[in-house]
Amino acid sequence: MSGRDTLATDTRRAQRLVAFALIAIALVGLGALGATAVIRHRAGDSAAAPVSVSGTSPTPPTPAQPTAAGDPTQDVELLLTPEAVTRLKLESVPVINATLERTISVPGTVFPNAYKEVKVSSIAGGIVTQLHAELGTPVHRGAPLATVFSAELAEAQTKLLSTAAMLDADRRRLERTQELVKIGAASRQELDEVTAVRAARETEVAAARQRLLLLGLNPAQIDALTSPGQIVSTVIVPAPIAGVITTRSVNTGQVVSPGQEVFVVTDLSTVWVVGELYERDLVSVGVGASARITTAAYPGFFLSGRVSYVDPRVDPQSRTVKVRLEVPDPAARLKLGMYVAVELRTPEETPRLLVPHAAVQTLGERQVVFLAFEEEPGRYVQRTVQLGPLAADRYPVLAGLKAGDRVVTQGSFFLRAESLRNSSGG
């Protein structure tokens, strides 16, 4: 035998060895798939009968509706051996009718609750002699904020003392006139005149008392005022609500006029978050919609709130609408002016058929799910479905499913892989 013939013989022998090795690898692969192999049966293909690849008895085929050959949108039946079902731990859930919650993310800014923000002013004009609170100080209701020396307050007390003294004199004169009328020493006209003067004096005293109340004295202090030595010339400006000093407009020694703002006290247990909403999202957000507020300042922390107001005006430049959220914040973590992220959650009013995101797989340009049957363990049907946009980890079902159908969630990716493998002839 020549050298060329010997070379050809060796080449053919090597090719046979490679072929045998490939067959051995395929057999090993088939054995590895024996416990998990899926037997694929396309609906309408009556010639495709199931066979056992794991040594177990074959699963009988399920009758299928006749379909056009090669139509990728038709149902495809997959039959799993009991061993495969057990090991893969496939889970399925029913398709249900429920309301879909949509989430819209918008930026927001923290503002004080304007309904719980009080501007504090001095009732009496004068000179600020002492400040009892600084910017950012928490205060309780009635706590002193500032002391004001007021000549106006001293004059009002002097006025009360003088009118009260004249009222006492008018009272004694009226008593004497009444006695004189009884003995005929005074006329009835004189009695009427004295009575009218006393009534007018009572009105002056009541007005003087009211003036002192307006200037900050309490009724007990006014009742105790009986002599000029008891006149006070300072006014205490109290906190009208419990909160935090968010503005201080005066310093010690400054002259203030009646009604001038000296402090702003804000209750920060509830704040407003104002977000910018695009026009396209207006249809989904209304008063009462719930929201989740997060901030980069506190990773992992969030607060819940609700939309309390939607601005009727659209900003002509940004084409956005302001939405106001009322957010309880008892720990006062949100700071005024802070930027936050707002997730508005808007549930639909009408329930829709929904399928979990985990149950949906993509085959080319199609979306499919795998139906499970409790009465037929190991039988799964691949079905093409039409779905709406994903929201809250669920898809609205437009076509392909009905309420009560069970779809595979955990393990649906394996079924997809087996479907692709079998369709490619693997």
Side-chain angles (χ1 to χ4, degrees), residues 277-348:
L277 190 67
Y278 287 106
E279 290 180 81
R280 63 175 179 268
D281 296 322
L282 276 173
V283 67
S284 302
V285 178
V287 174
S290 62
R292 176 187 172 112
I293 294 89
T294 57
T295 173
Y298 308 109
F301 173 77
F302 71 91
L303 290 169
S304 299
R306 290 194 173 274
V307 176
S308 59
Y309 174 77
V310 178
D311 199 322
R313 299 161 296 181
V314 176
D315 188 289
Q317 266 105 42
S318 64
R319 307 308 303 169
T320 59
V321 173
K322 294 186 183 299
V323 291
R324 188 180 72 210
L325 295 92
E326 191 166 317
V327 182
D329 184 22
R333 294 207 179 194
L334 297 182
K335 308 305 179 185
L336 302 183
M338 178 182 284
Y339 290 117
V340 296
V342 180
E343 291 183 359
L344 294 163
R345 300 179 178 182
T346 58
E348 297 178 343

Side-chain angles (χ1 to χ4, degrees), residues 198-418:
R198 182 179 182 277
R201 198 74 68 189
E202 288 179 339
T203 302
E204 291 179 9
V205 170
R209 287 179 60 87
Q210 189 63 33
R211 176 63 177 163
L212 290 175
L213 289 173
L214 293 176
L215 290 175
L217 294 186
N218 58 52
Q221 289 175 309
I222 297 173
D223 292 338
L225 184 61
T226 58
S227 67
Q230 296 174 314
I231 293 177
V232 295
S233 57
T234 56
V235 177
I236 302 298
V237 179
I241 62 170
V244 176
I245 303 297
T246 53
T247 301
R248 197 191 86 173
S249 307
V250 296
N251 291 316
T252 303
Q254 184 173 337
V255 177
V256 294
S257 58
Q260 179 180 337
E261 178 186 310
V262 291
F263 290 97
V264 174
V265 180
T266 307
D267 180 359
L268 295 178
S269 62
T270 301
V271 296
W272 284 352
V273 172
V274 177
E276 304 281 340
L277 190 67
Y278 287 106
E279 290 180 81
R280 63 175 179 268
D281 296 322
L282 276 173
V283 67
S284 302
V285 178
V287 174
S290 62
R292 176 187 172 112
I293 294 89
T294 57
T295 173
Y298 308 109
F301 173 77
F302 71 91
L303 290 169
S304 299
R306 290 194 173 274
V307 176
S308 59
Y309 174 77
V310 178
D311 199 322
R313 299 161 296 181
V314 176
D315 188 289
Q317 266 105 42
S318 64
R319 307 308 303 169
T320 59
V321 173
K322 294 186 183 299
V323 291
R324 188 180 72 210
L325 295 92
E326 191 166 317
V327 182
D329 184 22
R333 294 207 179 194
L334 297 182
K335 308 305 179 185
L336 302 183
M338 178 182 284
Y339 290 117
V340 296
V342 180
E343 291 183 359
L344 294 163
R345 300 179 178 182
T346 58
E348 297 178 343
E349 296 183 358
T350 305
R352 289 202 284 176
L353 200 63
L354 301 177
V355 63
H357 173 261
V360 179
Q361 297 294 331
T362 302
L363 291 177
E365 297 181 354
R366 296 180 295 129
Q367 290 177 304
V368 300
V369 298
F370 294 91
L371 301 180
F373 304 90
E374 291 184 327
E375 66 279 4
E376 299 181 67
R379 176 174 176 250
Y380 300 91
V381 170
Q382 174 189 301
R383 178 168 295 172
T384 300
V385 292
Q386 296 179 21
L387 306 174
L390 179 67
D393 205 39
R394 291 183 291 179
Y395 287 101
V397 179
L398 304 181
L401 294 172
K402 65 180 184 299
D405 286 343
R406 296 192 69 86
V407 292
V408 176
T409 51
Q410 181 174 317
S412 63
F413 181 80
F414 170 80
L415 297 180
R416 172 186 178 275
E418 285 300 317

Side-chain angles (χ1 to χ4, degrees), residues 176-193:
R176 288 195 300 271
T177 304
Q178 289 173 338
E179 293 297 327
L180 292 174
V181 169
K182 289 180 181 179
I183 63 176
S187 65
R188 196 73 188 175
Q189 182 179 356
E190 290 176 330
L191 178 61
D192 291 341
E193 291 176 354

